[in-house]
C-alpha cells in the first residue's frame, strides 16, 4: 500500500504539472534569473522574504538556462529529496528496531515510506519553487541521523563532520534551518561525540548564524516577534499545534470538526516526545538513534514556533498554519516519533504493528486519492493567466491564479522583461511569441464567431477581455491556443479554448468555451462591437517571432 501511495503521488505530480510560473516564482525564479544573468554574485545570496534560499537557486538557474524554464528540474529534485528523506527514516528504523519482528519492521518501514510521500504536501510536490521546503527538512534530518551513527560507529570519523556540514547547509535552505546547528550541538554532546567535534561545531554555529544575519531583511512583517509572543500567546500555541498536526488534518479531509482533534493529537505528540526524553537519555549509548529522532521533533517544534511569530501578524493569521507546504515539516515530526519509540515497544504492540500500519495507511489513502483527480480546470486557469501576462493584458481576474491581483502591475513588468529576454516564462512557446502576431494577416484556418461578452480592461490601452463559446471544436490547435481576427482577417487578439475536461459546472452551452483578449485601437471608438470578430485555430507548425 505504501508503494501505491508513492505511485499516486507521482501520478498527481504529472497530472498537476504546469510549466507556467506561479506566485513567488515570478520574483524568486524568473526575477532572480534575470538579475543573475546580468552578472555578479549578489542575486545568488539575496534574501527571499526572511529566507536565504541559496541552495534552491542553482536548481532554478539550471532549469531556466538549460531546460527551457519548464520547472521540471526543481520538481524532480524535490521528489528525489523526498525519496532521500524516506530512505533516512527507513535506515534509522532498521538500526533502532532490533527488538521488532521482521513483519513489524516491514510494517514500520511501509508507514515511513507512505507517510513521506503523503499528498498533503501537494504544493511542495507540484510547485517548482518549493524545493527548499524539502531541503530544510532533509538536511537537518541527515545531520541528526549521521550524528547518531557517528556515536555508534566511532571508527567512521567522517560521519560527525558531514553531520555538521549538513546542519550548516540548512541555513541556505530556509530561515528555520538556523535551528539545525544548535540542536545538532546539543545532540552531539548527549550522545558523546568528541570534544574536538563539539568545539568545531560550536564555532561553526556562531559563524553560520552571524553570516545568516548579515543583511537580514526580517521577512514579510515588521511586527517584532517578541511583541507577537506577548500579545498573542495562545494564538502562538494554536499555530504550533496546527503546524505540527497539519498532516493529520489533511488526513481528516481538512474538516473544521477535525481542528480540535488535530491540535490535541499534536499536543500529545509533543508532550509524549518530552516524556520520552528520559528513556532516550538512558539508552543513548545503545540506541542513539532514538535521541536523534527526539532532536528531529524538537527541530520541527521550534520551526513551528518561529513560523508562528512571523506569520500570525499577516492577514490570514492562524489559518496560515494549515497550508499544504508546512506539512512536509509536520510530517517529519510524526515519522520521527515512530522511529523514536520503536526500540521501546512491548511485545503486544509489536505483534499488532502490521495491523496498525495497515489502518494508518488506509486512513491516509482517502486524501491520497485526490492526487489522481482531474486538474484540467486549474491548468486552464494558469494558461489563461500566462496568456494575459505574455500579451501584457492588465486583467487581474485572469492573472489572479498566478500572482496576487493587487500586484498585477508588478508581475506584468516581470513578464515583459522575461519576454524581451526571450525566456519561455509563460509555459508555452506560442505564448512567448503571441505579441508578434498582432497586426498580421491570419493564416488560412477554420474561423468561427462566438464572442458573447466583452469587458474593457483598466490598462490605459484599448484592451478587452472576451469570453464565449465555439459552435464546434477546432480539428487542430496548439494547446488550445487560438487567434482573434477582424473582418479583414487581421489578427487583433488571442484566445484559449477550454478543454472538455475543464468545462465549468453550470455551462449548458454545447460548444467549447473560450476566453481571450483583444488589443485593437478601434475598440475605443463609439459603436464598436465584437460581432465582426472571429476565433481562428492556431496554425500548426507556423513560425513565431517576438516583437516589442
Amino acid at each position: 500500500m505504501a508503494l501505491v501511495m508513492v505511485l499516486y503521488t507521482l501520478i498527481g505530480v504529472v497530472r498537476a504539472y504546469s510549466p507556467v510560473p506561479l506566485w513567488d516564482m515570478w520574483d524568486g525564479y524568473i526575477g532572480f534569473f534575470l538579475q543573475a544573468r546580468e552578472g555578479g554574485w549578489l542575486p545568488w545570496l539575496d534574501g527571499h522574504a526572511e529566507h536565504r534560499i541559496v541552495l534552491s537557486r542553482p536548481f532554478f538557474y539550471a532549469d531556466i538556462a538549460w531546460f527551457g524554464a519548464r520547472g521540471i528540474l526543481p520538481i524532480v529534485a524535490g521528489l528525489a529529496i523526498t525519496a532521500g528523506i524516506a530512505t533516512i527514516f527507513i535506515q534509522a528504523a532498521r538500526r533502532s528496531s532490533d527488538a521488532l519482528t521482521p513483519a513489524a519492521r516491514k510494517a514500520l518501514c511501509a508507514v515511513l515510506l507512505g507517510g513521506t510521500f503523503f499528498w498533503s504536501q501537494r504544493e511542495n510536490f507540484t510547485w517548482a519553487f518549493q524545493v527548499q521546503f524539502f531541503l530544510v527538512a532533509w538536511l537537518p534530518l541527515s545531520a541528526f541521523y549521521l550524528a547518531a551513527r557517528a556515536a555508534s560507529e566511532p571508527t567512521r570519523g567522517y560521519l560527525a563532520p558531514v553531520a555538521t556540514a549538513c546542519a550548516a547547509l540548512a541555513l541556505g535552505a530556509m530561515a528555520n534551518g538556523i535551528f539545525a546547528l544548535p540542536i545538532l550541538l546539543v545532540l552531539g554532546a548527549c550522545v558523546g561525540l568528541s570534544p574536538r567535534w563539539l568545539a568545531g561545531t560550536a564555532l561553526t554555529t556562531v559563524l553560520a548564524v552571524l553570516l545568516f544575519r548579515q543583511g537580514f531583511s526580517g521577512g514579510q512583517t515588521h511586527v517584532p516577534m517578541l511583541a507577537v509572543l506577548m500579545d498573542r500567546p495562545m494564538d502562538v500555541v494554536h499555530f504550533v499545534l496546527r503546524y505540527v498536526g497539519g498532516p493529520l488534518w489533511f488526513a481528516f479531509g481538512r474538516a473544521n470538526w477535525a481542528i480540535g482533534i488535530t491540535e490535541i493529537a499534536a499536543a500529545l505528540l509533543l508532550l509524549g516526545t518530552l516524556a520520552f526524553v528520559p528513556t532516550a537519555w538512558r539508552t543513548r549509548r545503545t540506541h542513539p538513534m532514538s535521541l536523534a529522532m527526539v532532536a528531529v521533533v524538537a527541530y520541527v517544534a521550534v520551526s513551528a514556533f518561529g513560523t508562528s511569530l512571523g506569520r500570525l501578524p499577516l492577514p490570514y493569521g492562524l489559518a496560515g498554519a494549515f497550508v499544504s507546504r508546512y506539512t512536509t515539516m509536520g510530517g517529519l515530526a510524526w515519522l520521527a516519533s515512530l522511529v523514536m519509540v520503536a526500540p521501546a515497544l512491548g511485545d503486544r504492540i509489536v505483534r499488532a504493528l502490521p495491523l496498525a500500519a495497515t489502518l494508518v495507511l488506509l486512513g491516509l489513502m482517502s486524501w491520497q486519492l485526490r492526487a489522481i483527480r482531474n486538474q484540467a480546470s486549474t491548468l486552464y486557469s494558469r494558461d489563461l493567466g500566462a496568456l494575459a501576462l505574455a500579451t501584457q493584458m492588465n486583467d487581474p481576474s485572469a492573472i489572479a491564479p498566478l500572482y496576487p491581483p493587487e500586484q498585477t502591475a508588478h508581475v506584468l513588468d516581470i513578464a515583459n522583461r522575461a519576454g524581451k529576454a526571450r525566456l519561455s516564462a509563460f509555459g508555452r512557446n506560442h505564448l512567448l511569441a503571441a505579441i508578434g502576431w498582432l497586426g498580421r494577416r491570419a493564416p488560412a484556418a477554420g474561423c468561427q464567431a462566438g464572442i458573447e461578452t466583452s469587458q474593457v480592461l483598466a490598462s490605459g490601452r484599448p484592451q478587452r477581455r472576451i469570453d464565449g463559446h465555439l459552435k464546434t471544436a477546432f480539428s487542430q490547435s496548439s494547446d488550445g491556443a487560438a487567434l482573434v481576427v477582424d473582418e479583414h482577417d487581421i489578427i487583433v487578439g488571442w484566445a484559449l479554448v477550454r478543454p472538455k475536461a475543464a468545462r465549468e459546472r453550470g455551462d449548458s452551452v454545447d460548444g467549447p468555451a473560450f476566453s481571450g483578449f483583444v488589443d485593437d485601437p478601434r475598440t475605443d471608438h463609439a459603436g464598436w462591437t465584437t460581432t465582426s470578430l472571429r476565433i481562428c485555430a492556431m496554425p500548426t507548425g507556423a513560425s513565431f517571432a517576438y516583437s516589442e
Side-chain angles (χ1 to χ4, degrees):
M1 193 178 300
L3 293 177
V4 172
M5 291 185 67
V6 175
L7 177 62
Y8 278 13
T9 291
L10 296 178
I11 293 173
V13 170
V14 173
R15 299 203 72 173
Y17 169 73
S18 170
V20 179
L22 184 66
W23 290 75
D24 286 357
M25 290 182 72
W26 291 99
D27 296 288
Y29 173 82
I30 298 297
F32 154 71
F33 182 83
L34 292 173
Q35 293 178 354
R37 72 181 300 185
E38 294 175 359
W41 50 269
L42 283 178
W44 293 85
L45 301 179
D46 281 346
H48 180 82
E50 68 270 31
H51 305 291
R52 302 281 194 184
I53 55 172
V54 178
L55 299 183
S56 299
R57 284 176 173 147
F59 294 105
F60 301 157
Y61 192 94
D63 185 70
I64 297 175
W66 302 329
F67 298 99
R70 310 296 292 180
I72 294 177
L73 180 61
I75 291 175
V76 171
L79 290 169
I81 295 169
T82 303
I85 292 172
T87 301
I88 291 176
F89 273 130
I90 290 172
Q91 290 299 319
R94 287 176 175 173
R95 290 176 178 274
S96 61
S97 58
D98 300 337
L100 298 185
T101 63
R105 191 177 293 112
K106 289 180 180 179
L108 175 59
C109 291
V111 173
L112 294 172
L113 177 61
T116 306
F117 281 88
F118 186 37
W119 192 244
S120 67
Q121 306 165 83
R122 179 188 185 279
E123 289 181 0
N124 295 340
F125 285 135
T126 62
W127 187 4
F129 194 69
Q130 302 299 84
V131 65
Q132 57 266 24
F133 280 88
F134 295 116
L135 285 168
V136 83
W138 174 60
L139 287 169
L141 173 64
S142 300
F144 305 149
Y145 167 76
L146 291 172
R149 283 193 57 188
S152 58
E153 304 173 49
T155 57
R156 299 193 176 188
Y158 64 89
L159 291 174
V162 174
T164 302
C166 288
L169 286 172
L171 276 80
M174 295 183 72
N176 53 311
I178 199 171
F179 300 120
L181 275 169
I183 294 175
L184 176 66
L185 187 60
V186 174
L187 172 64
C190 291
V191 298
L193 296 185
S194 69
R196 183 178 178 181
W197 178 87
L198 292 174
T201 302
L203 179 61
T204 302
T205 300
V206 173
L207 294 177
V209 171
L210 290 176
L211 181 63
F212 180 86
R213 295 289 300 176
Q214 185 69 28
F216 182 69
S217 65
Q220 301 180 31
T221 175
H222 298 290
V223 180
M225 290 186 174
L226 183 59
V228 177
L229 180 60
M230 297 298 292
D231 295 342
R232 306 173 63 180
M234 290 310 300
D235 282 347
V236 171
V237 172
H238 285 292
F239 192 101
V240 169
L241 295 178
R242 294 182 183 190
Y243 182 106
V244 174
L248 186 61
W249 187 63
F250 276 83
F252 280 120
R254 298 190 301 185
N256 288 332
W257 58 262
I259 293 176
I261 297 174
T262 298
E263 292 190 0
I264 292 171
L268 291 174
L269 171 67
L270 296 177
L271 292 174
T273 301
L274 190 61
F276 190 79
V277 169
T279 301
W281 173 261
R282 288 193 299 270
T283 61
R284 67 190 185 280
R285 302 300 183 188
T286 56
H287 293 100
M289 198 61 70
S290 290
L291 208 53
M293 295 300 107
V294 171
V296 173
V297 177
Y299 171 66
V300 174
V302 295
S303 296
F305 176 73
T307 304
S308 71
L309 300 181
R311 291 293 181 265
L312 279 174
L314 297 178
Y316 39 79
L318 266 177
F322 272 150
V323 293
S324 169
R325 59 185 176 273
Y326 292 158
T327 60
T328 296
M329 287 292 293
L332 209 67
W334 290 95
L335 299 177
S337 68
L338 296 178
V339 179
M340 175 181 68
V341 302
L345 295 177
D347 292 341
R348 185 176 298 178
I349 297 178
V350 169
R351 288 194 297 270
L353 201 54
L355 176 59
T358 301
L359 294 176
V360 168
L361 292 175
L362 283 174
L364 298 179
M365 189 60 73
S366 62
W367 185 266
Q368 196 74 9
L369 289 171
R370 300 189 180 214
I372 59 176
R373 286 183 174 180
N374 174 33
Q375 301 292 326
S377 182
T378 299
L379 298 181
Y380 175 79
S381 297
R382 291 177 68 171
D383 282 346
L384 184 62
L387 175 62
L389 291 173
T391 56
Q392 292 293 289
M393 293 289 153
N394 191 353
D395 184 0
S397 64
I399 295 173
L402 305 181
Y403 208 77
E406 64 274 11
Q407 300 179 43
T408 298
H410 174 65
V411 72
L412 280 169
D413 177 65
I414 297 175
N416 184 47
R417 289 189 286 121
K420 290 180 178 179
R422 301 198 178 191
L423 297 184
S424 182
F426 314 107
R428 309 279 186 256
N429 288 330
H430 59 260
L431 295 185
L432 175 63
I435 291 181
W437 282 81
L438 204 63
R440 296 185 182 184
R441 185 172 296 279
C447 298
Q448 304 177 39
I451 298 176
E452 298 164 358
T453 62
S454 170
Q455 177 186 354
V456 177
L457 301 179
S459 61
R461 292 168 53 192
Q463 299 176 340
R464 288 178 179 259
R465 160 79 177 262
I466 57 172
D467 298 276
H469 290 82
L470 301 174
K471 291 184 178 180
T472 58
F474 290 133
S475 59
Q476 59 182 8
S477 64
S478 177
D479 294 328
L483 301 172
V484 184
V485 302
D486 64 9
E487 66 274 19
H488 304 295
D489 293 335
I490 301 299
I491 299 171
V492 295
W494 319 264
L496 283 180
V497 180
R498 183 181 289 271
K500 184 182 297 184
R503 191 176 184 89
E504 292 181 314
R505 291 184 179 180
D507 188 351
S508 58
V509 181
D510 291 336
F514 67 83
S515 296
F517 306 97
V518 172
D519 191 349
D520 185 351
R522 292 174 299 172
T523 62
D524 281 348
H525 297 170
W528 182 90
T529 66
T530 60
T531 55
S532 62
L533 302 183
R534 293 167 295 148
I535 311 299
C536 304
M538 182 75 75
T540 303
S543 59
F544 297 92
Y546 178 80
S547 174
E548 294 188 23

